[in-house]
């Protein structure tokens, strides 16, 4: 657009440039929305409880009562299978959390209750569900906002281009092709 350097062209070029820039900006991925902080907090809550419940499983696996220690070793084996999932990306962590919770459920209610692990299990399940609900809400908000804004900005850029092209064509008719030939080519 630098070829259109006449003072009368400046407003037209700036108007079109602003519309294109707004469209470009709408394509930039946003990293935060109204659920970002809540999602981060939900992850931190789950992580803290996972780490603490893992410590409980380590302790119960060496319980002085042999039968309790044996059941505790079964619980600890599930934690050891998944390692420290709290250091993974959200997608990887919560896929593993889903399977981890299924493995805990497969351990059986009797064992979980005998180990006094039921409150831990219930809270881990609740915090996992809260995280997933917030992640879905964040993704939904992001897709709704991005789609609507991008569409609106694209339509504005298209309209600005039409106006821009009409003005160039009108200027060619009024002033002749000489000053615009290089730009048109």
């Amino acid at each position: 657009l630098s070829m259109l350097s006449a003072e009368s062209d400046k407003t037209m070029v700036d108007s079109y440039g602003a519309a294109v820039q707004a469209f470009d900006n709408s394509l930039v991925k946003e990293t935060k929305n109204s659920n970002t902080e809540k999602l981060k907090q939900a992850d931190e809550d789950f992580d803290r409880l996972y780490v603490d419940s893992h410590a409980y499983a380590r302790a119960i696996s060496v319980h002085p009562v042999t039968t309790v220690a044996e059941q505790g070793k079964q619980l600890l084996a599930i934690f050891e299978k998944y390692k420290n999932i709290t250091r993974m990306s959200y997608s990887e962590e919560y896929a593993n959390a889903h399977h981890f919770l299924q493995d805990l459920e497969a351990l059986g209610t009797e064992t979980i209750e005998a180990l006094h692990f039921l409150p831990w299990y219930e809270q881990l399940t609740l915090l996992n569900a809260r995280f997933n609900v917030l992640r879905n809400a964040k993704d939904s908000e992001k897709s709704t906002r991005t789609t609507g804004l991008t569409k609106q900005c694209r339509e504005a850029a298209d309209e600005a281009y039409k106006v821009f092209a009409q003005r160039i064509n009108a200027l060619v008719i009024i002033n002749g092709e000489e000053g615009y030939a290089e730009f048109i080519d």
Side-chain angles (χ1 to χ4, degrees), residues 19 23 148-162:
F23 178 58
L149 179 63
T150 301
K151 181 180 178 186
Q152 180 184 13
C153 290
R154 181 186 45 82
E155 289 171 352
D158 287 347
E159 185 59 33
Y161 174 76
K162 288 175 190 173

Side-chain angles (χ1 to χ4, degrees), residues 9-164:
D9 298 335
K10 183 170 177 23
T11 304
M12 167 181 62
V13 171
D14 289 348
S15 177
Y16 176 61
V20 171
Q21 186 62 50
F23 178 58
D24 282 349
N25 292 343
S26 75
L27 296 174
V28 174
K29 291 184 179 179
E30 291 222 5
T31 57
K32 290 190 175 191
N33 68 28
S34 68
N35 292 297
T36 300
E37 290 304 316
K38 291 183 234 172
L39 185 68
K40 181 181 175 197
Q41 185 61 53
D43 178 57
E44 289 172 2
D45 292 346
F46 180 86
D47 289 353
R48 190 174 315 107
L49 188 64
Y50 181 87
V51 168
D52 292 346
S53 61
H54 190 179
Y56 179 83
R58 279 192 301 273
I60 202 79
S61 71
V62 293
H63 196 276
V65 176
T66 306
T67 56
V68 175
E70 291 303 315
Q71 290 175 323
K73 287 176 184 173
Q74 292 175 348
L75 176 62
L76 182 60
I78 294 170
F79 278 96
E80 296 302 321
K81 176 181 177 182
Y82 293 95
K83 307 281 186 221
N84 187 358
I85 64 175
T86 65
R87 298 189 187 273
M88 298 174 176
S89 68
Y90 283 168
S91 295
E92 197 174 10
E93 178 179 348
Y94 287 93
N96 279 304
H98 172 75
H99 296 295
F100 165 76
L101 291 169
Q102 285 182 325
D103 286 355
L104 286 178
E105 185 177 349
L107 191 58
T109 306
E110 280 184 30
T111 302
I112 290 174
E113 287 178 355
L115 294 171
H116 303 286
F117 195 75
L118 187 60
W120 295 94
Y121 172 71
E122 290 173 342
Q123 191 65 18
L124 283 165
T125 302
L126 178 70
L127 292 176
N128 180 59
R130 181 176 2 137
F131 176 87
N132 286 317
V133 166
L134 287 168
R135 182 172 52 180
N136 291 340
K138 180 182 179 199
D139 291 346
S140 177
E141 181 180 318
K142 178 182 174 185
S143 68
T144 301
R145 184 211 171 277
T146 301
T147 301
L149 179 63
T150 301
K151 181 180 178 186
Q152 180 184 13
C153 290
R154 181 186 45 82
E155 289 171 352
D158 287 347
E159 185 59 33
Y161 174 76
K162 288 175 190 173
V163 169
F164 180 73

Side-chain angles (χ1 to χ4, degrees), residues 157-178:
D158 287 347
E159 185 59 33
Y161 174 76
K162 288 175 190 173
V163 169
F164 180 73
Q166 287 174 343
R167 287 182 179 167
I168 294 293
N169 289 335
L171 289 170
V172 167
I173 292 170
I174 295 169
N175 299 330
E177 204 173 299
E178 185 178 314

